[in-house]
Amino acid sequence: MKITSILTSLTAAAVMTTTGVTFASAESTLDIVKKRGNLRCQVGQPSPGYYNLDSEGNWYGLDVSVCQAVAAAIFGDKTKLEIQSVSSQARFTALANGESDLLSRTATWTMTRDTQLGIDFLATNFYDGQGFTVRKDSGITSAMELKGAKVCVTTGTTTELNLTDFSRQNDLGIQAVTFEDYNVRDDTYLNGGCDAVTGDKSSMAGNISSFPVPGDHMILPETLSKEPLASAVRHGDSQWSDIVRWSIFALINAEELGITQANVDDMKANSKDPNVLRMLGAEGNLSDGLGLESDWAYNIIKAVGNYGEIYEAYMGHGPQGIGIDRAGSLNALWTDGGLMYSPPMR
Amino acid sequence: MAIIKATKTPARPEPLSETSVLGWLRKNLFSSAFNTVLTVFTIYVIYLTVSGVYVWGYADATFVAETRRECYGNSLTGACWAGVIDWLDNIFYGRYPRDELWRINFGGLLLAFWMAPLWIARAKGKVLVGASVVVFYPFLAGYLFSGGDKGLFMQVMVSGAIVAFVINMANAIVGILKQESIAQFIIKRLGQANKADKKQRNLLIGLVAVGFGAAYLWQSSWTVEFVTWTKWGGLFLTLVISGIGIASALPGGIILALGRRSKLPVLRVLSTGFIEIFRSVPLITVLFMATTMFPLFMREGFVLNNLVLVIIAVVLFNACYMAETVRAGLQAIPKGQAEGAHTIGLGYWGTMGLIIMPQALKHMIPNIVGSFIGLLKDTTLVSIIGLFDILGMLRSISKDVPWLGLHKEPLIFGAILFFIICFAMSKYSRHLEVKLSAGSNH
């Protein structure tokens, strides 16, 4: 781990010094992507819900859908896409050095990353937060009751730091048991090696669903940290930022307007709502500033559906979903009390 | 009275304790009270392990299911092999398009047939066969696997490979039936056996040229669909990387080792520096440098094929290790051998190629095969930099929603696969050692 972390800082430093020179005379990213004929979209090593491989070798997941949405916005074809799976040590370097056009993976939007790594975070597509999983029969109902408990945690991430901070703030004396691989972490927990597991709530929900008896376990209500997972692009190409940002907003806006993959054709032809018509390119000139075709948003919805549909499919209760309830969470639409909010498209 | 008999007294039969199973048991397992306790204890431990593995891995295991939940429904404690079975295509071929899998299988078969004459005692021209594999096969296989439009160079190489393969097969068949090379056979058939060597050679070259023309025309009539390297994966990718690594590490290592022992100072310093630098850094660092740092120094937007970078890194890294193995082998050959070679008038290359190397390489076989096995296993490191080799695929199973959390079974399956491959390599190396040292008495 040490070598890789040194490498990460080394490469980040190298990127900082070279990007200025390298990208000064840059062609616009949109031109490069169009010329190449496909979008290079970076995800991570498979992570349930966000980006996974199925047994046929195809990528699927929430972040993969964002990649497909951007590809559809540019080319009108979601398959003109190359998914790059990059390890988390190299993720920002691979974006900054031009290998990837877009980073759509579980990267938390933090100030340091946004301001010091030569990249820009654009729009959050999932609000996560760290929490605890415990056995129901342990009688624990709040994280404050974890005094002196052994907690399993994966090492080398902010998760471990957050746990230590939380323990110190509340004087709990939590004993951290660290693991490199979360499968081993979960196995240890299941075999009684620790009293609780800590991790991002979304991924823990997915993991619980894979336990032998999911009903025996529960996630405690406390949230230790804010983890807004957002897409990012290289610093310095505003047009490209706009395209990615508004592609994500289009997904959210479509849900708000009630446009779905199934009814998008009908809506475009018959809707009376000017908001819908503007967005789908039936009237107005929304797409001019983006440098895309007027039906860009139509193509997105036609290809991947709206945000709510994507959420249900991969995060919710669809056949490939990991079963996280959306109602009442931060990921609900703002009209339902969540944080998913798109600026108006007009 | 004769004390010495004219005939040999027949040997008495061995005592029962030496020949019967019971005797063997008594002698080896129950010779004392302590050994008896030890034996019983060990048998008990073996029983526990074997029965545990049997119950988990077979008796309670689920082989057919759609999801891991179904496996749990069947048994909460047994293995869930259904997930591994569902993912077999991914494990072996990666994300390669499912309609095109025959290309990988065909490429593998081609290699097996191409190399087969090397193991057939009656086939002639083994050196040429080996050379043709190294020179032509990579291009044919490379085109077969990646596809797309053939450039002129590729067309020539593919045609060359087809001709070489056909000649090789014909040669093997003629060798098995008549125990002569294809060239001799054709010359005899055409009744040219008594003609001058030059005439025979021209005739053969003419035949090859005609064959090449035919192959060129034939291959230009078809192409295979383009498959980008990002879709390569699984065991296939592991074998491609380690295969290229193995094929080029030995020649590279020999060159570096000779360079390091050279009397030319520049060559020696360069070789030594190169070896020491690459040997002193971990492979994972080399891989990271190759895939993330290298593109920084390139012109913007210029994205190199990560696979090629990885292969170059693996080849260089292993050539350095191989160089030291080869050097050790060279060091073991007494100086008298080289001096003897010089006295009969051999130059540097003659001495190395005919006298020193053949002896040295024979000694090095165990080490070389050890490096090869190490290389094969090391290539799994590429899963860390985002290539989906066999380990990457095995680990992805536990992230696929239907099989969420299924991580033990895939890894055990991978371990078995690796064991089979590595054990076969090791067995073959033993066989090679025995065969090569058949003439000598050690």
Side-chain angles (χ1 to χ4, degrees):
Chain A
M1 263 349 269
K2 199 151 191 199
I3 289 165
T4 46
S5 66
I6 292 171
L7 257 174
T8 316
S9 35
L10 242 177
T11 44
V15 172
M16 289 308 291
T17 48
T18 50
T19 35
V21 188
T22 326
F23 295 104
S25 61
E27 223 178 327
S28 86
T29 312
L30 180 63
D31 289 341
I32 296 175
V33 170
K34 275 185 170 165
K35 208 193 283 172
R36 190 196 303 132
N38 68 3
L39 171 75
R40 291 206 175 108
C41 187
Q42 186 200 125
V43 299
Q45 282 164 348
S47 174
Y50 300 100
Y51 27 84
N52 310 61
L53 281 175
D54 66 11
S55 59
E56 293 298 303
N58 302 313
W59 287 98
Y60 66 95
L62 179 75
D63 285 331
V64 173
S65 295
V66 170
C67 294
Q68 290 172 335
V70 177
I74 298 168
F75 298 108
D77 179 358
K78 68 172 177 178
T79 60
K80 292 196 169 165
L81 174 68
E82 182 188 322
I83 300 275
Q84 300 172 314
S85 173
V86 176
S87 69
S88 54
Q89 287 89 12
R91 54 184 166 179
F92 300 123
T93 318
L95 177 63
N97 72 15
E99 204 178 319
S100 317
D101 303 317
L102 160 68
L103 181 145
S104 172
R105 58 187 291 171
T106 56
T108 305
W109 184 350
T110 67
M111 185 172 163
T112 325
R113 286 173 179 175
D114 205 353
T115 55
Q116 295 182 11
L117 293 179
I119 60 174
D120 283 338
F121 282 89
L122 301 174
T124 306
N125 59 26
F126 195 85
Y127 290 94
D128 214 337
Q130 189 176 339
F132 291 100
T133 303
V134 293
R135 273 177 285 273
K136 273 186 184 159
D137 60 15
S138 68
I140 297 171
T141 52
S142 153
M144 296 303 162
E145 296 165 24
L146 286 169
K147 210 167 178 65
K150 277 205 273 186
V151 176
C152 282
V153 57
T154 45
T155 182
T157 58
T158 48
T159 321
E160 199 182 346
L161 279 176
N162 292 335
L163 176 68
T164 323
D165 287 354
F166 178 76
S167 170
R168 271 174 48 197
Q169 274 166 19
N170 301 296
D171 198 21
L172 290 175
I174 288 175
Q175 205 186 329
V177 186
T178 55
F179 295 91
E180 181 73 36
D181 180 33
Y182 75 75
N183 285 314
V184 185
R185 179 197 71 188
D186 289 350
D187 268 4
T188 310
Y189 163 74
L190 285 174
N191 292 324
C194 37
D195 307 307
V197 178
T198 185
D200 285 348
K201 283 185 169 179
S202 67
S203 68
M204 284 200 305
N207 295 347
I208 290 179
S209 72
S210 78
F211 289 173
V213 189
D216 287 356
H217 308 268
M218 60 181 249
I219 296 178
L220 297 177
E222 283 84 356
T223 302
L224 274 60
S225 67
K226 294 192 283 188
E227 311 279 352
L229 307 177
S231 305
V233 297
R234 261 188 308 285
H235 191 79
D237 187 342
S238 304
Q239 184 202 19
W240 183 245
S241 303
D242 288 344
I243 291 172
V244 176
R245 184 186 293 117
W246 284 97
S247 295
I248 297 170
F249 283 152
L251 295 171
I252 300 170
N253 218 25
E255 186 186 6
E256 207 181 310
L257 295 172
I259 309 172
T260 64
Q261 194 170 14
N263 73 9
V264 63
D265 285 310
D266 180 49
M267 290 288 252
K268 189 176 182 181
N270 305 324
S271 176
K272 301 266 186 306
D273 185 345
N275 286 315
V276 172
L277 295 175
R278 266 198 299 269
M279 180 177 151
L280 296 179
E283 60 182 52
N285 49 3
L286 266 184
S287 65
D288 284 2
L290 293 178
L292 299 176
E293 302 295 321
S294 64
D295 57 355
W296 66 282
Y298 164 82
N299 287 333
I300 291 178
I301 308 304
K302 186 78 189 158
V304 298
N306 65 36
Y307 182 81
E309 290 177 283
I310 297 171
Y311 187 100
E312 251 344 89
Y314 305 118
M315 289 293 172
H317 300 278
Q320 289 182 311
I322 56 175
I324 310 174
D325 290 323
R326 187 174 178 214
S329 77
L330 294 179
N331 296 303
L333 273 186
W334 64 284
T335 46
D336 300 330
L339 285 180
M340 282 300 159
Y341 182 96
S342 156
M345 296 177 80
R346 61 166 183 255
Chain B
M1 140 177 179
I3 295 174
I4 301 167
K5 282 193 212 163
T7 55
K8 195 179 163 212
T9 320
R12 275 179 293 164
E14 288 178 70
L16 202 60
S17 64
E18 290 293 323
T19 51
S20 70
V21 177
L22 267 177
W24 184 91
L25 283 177
R26 192 185 145 82
K27 193 173 153 202
N28 291 295
L29 299 178
F30 303 101
S31 58
S32 69
F34 177 67
N35 280 356
T36 307
V37 172
L38 215 57
T39 302
V40 170
F41 178 70
T42 313
I43 288 176
Y44 180 64
V45 169
I46 292 175
Y47 165 75
L48 277 189
T49 319
V50 171
S51 67
V53 169
Y54 173 78
V55 168
W56 176 79
Y58 186 76
D60 279 1
T62 311
F63 291 88
V64 184
E66 288 294 310
T67 64
R68 192 166 183 226
R69 190 51 56 197
E70 267 182 48
C71 289
Y72 278 142
N74 190 16
S75 156
L76 279 180
T77 51
C80 182
W81 298 112
V84 178
I85 293 169
D86 189 31
W87 269 62
L88 277 183
D89 275 355
N90 269 349
I91 293 172
F92 286 115
Y93 306 105
R95 302 176 50 231
Y96 213 81
R98 297 297 182 252
D99 295 339
E100 306 284 322
L101 292 185
W102 63 270
R103 280 157 59 176
I104 298 179
N105 297 333
F106 183 64
L109 266 182
L110 214 54
L111 182 64
F113 273 102
W114 205 314
M115 305 260 286
L118 293 177
W119 288 282
I120 298 171
R122 291 167 68 101
K124 299 282 174 194
K126 293 206 171 52
V127 176
L128 278 178
V129 172
S132 71
V133 170
V134 176
V135 174
F136 288 114
Y137 177 75
F139 292 96
L140 183 58
Y143 179 69
L144 204 55
F145 297 155
S146 57
D149 288 329
K150 288 183 276 228
L152 182 65
F153 177 71
M154 203 40 133
Q155 297 213 18
V156 170
M157 287 320 270
V158 167
S159 317
I162 295 170
V163 174
F165 182 72
V166 171
I167 294 176
N168 180 15
M169 286 296 102
N171 183 43
I173 293 167
V174 171
I176 292 169
L177 297 178
K178 306 243 167 190
Q179 226 178 341
E180 59 189 2
S181 78
I182 182 82
Q184 291 164 341
F185 179 77
I186 288 177
I187 298 283
K188 267 192 205 161
R189 271 296 139 104
L190 295 176
Q192 307 279 320
N194 301 322
K195 297 282 168 60
D197 279 359
K198 203 168 175 187
K199 201 158 185 197
Q200 293 186 1
R201 198 187 62 201
N202 287 345
L203 179 70
L204 290 173
I205 291 177
L207 282 176
V208 171
V210 170
F212 181 83
Y216 189 87
L217 286 179
W218 178 65
Q219 63 80 29
S220 58
S221 67
W222 54 264
T223 53
V224 284
E225 193 188 317
F226 176 69
V227 177
T228 159
W229 67 272
T230 51
K231 291 201 175 264
W232 297 21
L235 185 64
F236 162 61
L237 182 67
T238 304
L239 291 181
V240 165
I241 297 176
S242 52
I244 296 177
I246 286 172
S248 45
L250 189 59
I254 291 177
I255 292 168
L256 281 173
L258 291 179
R260 192 165 183 175
R261 280 166 59 93
S262 165
K263 291 198 179 67
L264 309 170
V266 177
L267 204 59
R268 189 174 61 230
V269 170
L270 282 181
S271 306
T272 311
F274 188 79
I275 292 172
E276 291 304 334
I277 288 174
F278 268 90
R279 274 207 319 163
S280 322
V281 286
L283 178 58
I284 187 70
T285 319
V286 178
L287 291 177
F288 263 110
M289 287 297 263
T291 52
T292 57
M293 294 296 281
F294 189 68
L296 282 176
F297 310 126
M298 293 288 105
R299 147 178 95 71
E300 164 238 338
F302 179 78
V303 175
L304 267 159
N305 185 330
N306 261 358
L307 181 62
V308 171
L309 289 176
V310 163
I311 290 176
I312 293 173
V314 167
V315 166
L316 292 181
F317 190 80
N318 284 288
C320 291
Y321 271 93
M322 197 52 76
E324 290 301 282
T325 310
V326 173
R327 197 165 66 91
L330 292 177
Q331 229 91 302
I333 305 301
K335 211 166 173 227
Q337 295 287 325
E339 286 165 357
H342 287 315
T343 56
I344 59 168
L346 288 176
Y348 177 79
W349 293 111
T351 312
M352 280 300 163
L354 298 172
I355 310 291
I356 308 287
M357 272 303 166
Q359 298 187 62
L361 284 175
K362 203 166 75 183
H363 289 302
M364 292 183 292
I365 288 174
N367 280 337
I368 291 177
V369 175
S371 309
F372 286 169
I373 291 176
L375 194 160
L376 179 73
K377 292 188 290 185
D378 278 354
T379 44
T380 53
L381 276 178
V382 302
S383 65
I384 296 179
I385 54 162
L387 296 184
F388 285 90
D389 77 324
I390 182 164
L391 186 63
M393 276 300 171
L394 291 169
R395 294 208 302 196
S396 302
I397 298 181
S398 69
K399 319 283 163 61
D400 186 20
V401 171
W403 309 107
L404 217 53
L406 186 81
H407 70 117
K408 283 196 285 266
E409 291 85 345
L411 289 179
I412 289 173
F413 179 74
I416 296 171
L417 263 187
F418 266 95
F419 178 78
I420 294 173
I421 297 170
C422 295
F423 189 67
M425 279 167 83
S426 143
K427 272 315 222 194
Y428 179 65
S429 96
R430 277 298 301 157
H431 162 79
L432 213 56
E433 269 174 66
V434 171
K435 198 170 144 195
L436 289 179
S437 60
S440 59
N441 41 10
H442 54 85

